[in-house]
Amino acid sequence: MAWNEPGGNNKDPWGGGGGNRNDGPPDLDELLRKLQQKLNGLFGGGSSSSAPESGGKFPWVPALIVVAVLYGLWGFYQVDANESAVVLRLGKYHSTEGAGLHWNPPIVDHVEKVNVTEVRTERTTGQMLTEDANIVEVVLTVQWHIDDAESYVLRVRDPLKSLQEATDSALRHVVGSASLNGVISQSRTQVSADTQERLQEYLDLYQTGIRIDVVNLTDAKAPREVQDAFDDVTKAREDEVRFRNEAQAYANQVIPVARGRAQRILEEAEAYKTQVVELARGETVRFEKLLQEYQQAPAVTRERLYLDTVQEVMSNTSKVMVDVEGGSNMMYLPLDKLAERSADSSSKRGEKVSPAVIEEVSQRVIERLRSEVNNNRRGGNIR
């Protein structure tokens, strides 16, 4: 028979029989109700005695707990490896966070994440005036990245617009300081480097937080309206360069030859100078010796000089004129004719008359004449 059936004496197997409920296990609903009453008392929800009557009110505590949990979870955020997060607390800069998981109180803090590793490209084009008052069309590309997240987010209202305006200003300044030919062909690399340097100065001055990686002058040409005239000028300059190179090549060929000839002439002149000086010195020495001989024997020396002079003159001529004292005619010895006759006779015999033979004949004639002159002088016939 069950404990709650009639006759069972209302015996509770857990010892709760007899209507004494204080002896049984605690009631879970009762415990929750008591906890709610206590929390309501702490948050102004009324006394514990009235809790049973307020069982239909909104459950503030669980709701607050849930809200707190959601609020806490809401504050977590993830920063990627290529990003930096700028944290603003109540509208003011608080910190810059790097890669990783972070938490900030939502609503109080505002997080602005920017990609600091992405290389971005900005392109600008336009017509500009060069230093030599010519118009040139240029196309410029700028590669940049964010170097300072705080400055990029907070210091400038529109960093991209600032970058565009700074690029245009720097490019116009550099192009305006260069010639048209330099911008188009010769100094394009220098124009790019100068533009990058000046552009970075502007961006640092504005505190944009942007770092310029590369500035490339991709295209530079004359405007379409003057392209034909510009092509003519370019062709003329190319011709100028070509002619100049040809002239330089000709100069490189001629100048060494001329320098060689000049050096040879200088050396010959120097040799001639040395020869003349040495001959003059020799003549001086000979004259000094002759002077000494003349001082010792003037007549003999004078006679010797006369004979030497006659011998020298006679040795260099093929004609001899002999003045005979008392004679009406001057004797003429045609040595040249004699030599020619001797040459003809020799040629008829198949022999060639050499200069040595002619010289020998001349010497014999001179010796013969000299002996006759001496004989006549001793006889007083020839002066």
Side-chain angles (χ1 to χ4, degrees), residues 264-316:
R264 181 171 57 83
I265 292 173
L266 289 175
E267 292 177 355
E268 291 177 354
E270 189 66 26
Y272 178 73
K273 172 185 173 183
T274 304
Q275 178 184 3
V276 171
V277 170
E278 294 299 328
L279 287 176
R281 288 176 180 174
E283 291 293 331
T284 303
V285 173
R286 189 177 67 82
F287 180 77
E288 290 176 352
K289 292 180 179 179
L290 184 62
L291 179 60
Q292 293 176 0
E293 293 177 356
Y294 182 79
Q295 290 175 350
Q296 293 175 0
V300 175
T301 305
R302 187 166 50 247
E303 184 69 16
R304 179 187 171 187
L305 291 174
Y306 174 76
L307 295 177
D308 292 342
T309 303
V310 171
Q311 182 180 1
E312 182 179 358
V313 171
M314 295 297 291
S315 62
N316 296 327

Side-chain angles (χ1 to χ4, degrees), residues 51-212:
E53 291 76 8
S54 62
K57 294 184 178 179
F58 183 79
W60 291 99
V61 175
L64 291 176
I65 292 174
V66 172
V67 170
V69 172
L70 293 176
Y71 182 79
L73 294 176
W74 186 20
F76 286 99
Y77 63 94
Q78 177 70 31
V79 179
D80 295 336
N82 59 346
E83 293 179 336
S84 289
V86 179
V87 180
L88 303 178
R89 179 158 296 174
L90 298 178
K92 294 184 179 180
Y93 173 75
H94 177 263
S95 62
T96 301
E97 304 295 341
L101 184 62
H102 303 277
W103 184 87
N104 284 94
I107 301 175
V108 178
D109 286 359
H110 174 71
V111 179
E112 186 74 22
K113 294 188 288 186
V114 292
N115 192 329
V116 295
T117 60
E118 180 184 5
V119 178
R120 301 170 174 84
T121 301
E122 188 68 24
R123 183 175 182 272
T124 182
T125 181
Q127 294 184 355
M128 302 178 186
L129 192 64
T130 61
E131 184 181 18
D132 48 0
N134 290 311
I135 298 176
V136 59
E137 287 184 357
V138 296
V139 179
L140 187 77
T141 57
V142 179
Q143 294 182 355
W144 59 278
H145 69 277
I146 300 174
D147 185 57
D148 187 354
E150 176 190 354
S151 299
Y152 183 80
V153 174
L154 301 178
R155 302 302 175 92
V156 181
R157 183 185 301 273
D158 191 347
L160 293 179
K161 187 176 181 181
S162 299
L163 174 62
Q164 294 172 354
E165 294 178 351
T167 302
D168 187 72
S169 177
L171 181 59
R172 288 184 183 278
H173 181 88
V174 174
V175 172
S177 303
S179 62
L180 176 63
N181 191 31
V183 174
I184 292 178
S185 58
Q186 298 177 357
S187 304
R188 297 182 63 168
T189 305
Q190 187 63 36
V191 170
S192 300
D194 294 344
T195 303
Q196 179 176 354
E197 181 180 1
R198 183 167 292 276
L199 176 59
Q200 188 63 58
E201 291 178 359
Y202 290 164
L203 296 177
D204 293 341
L205 181 63
Y206 300 157
Q207 297 182 355
T208 57
I210 294 176
R211 177 62 55 185
I212 303 300

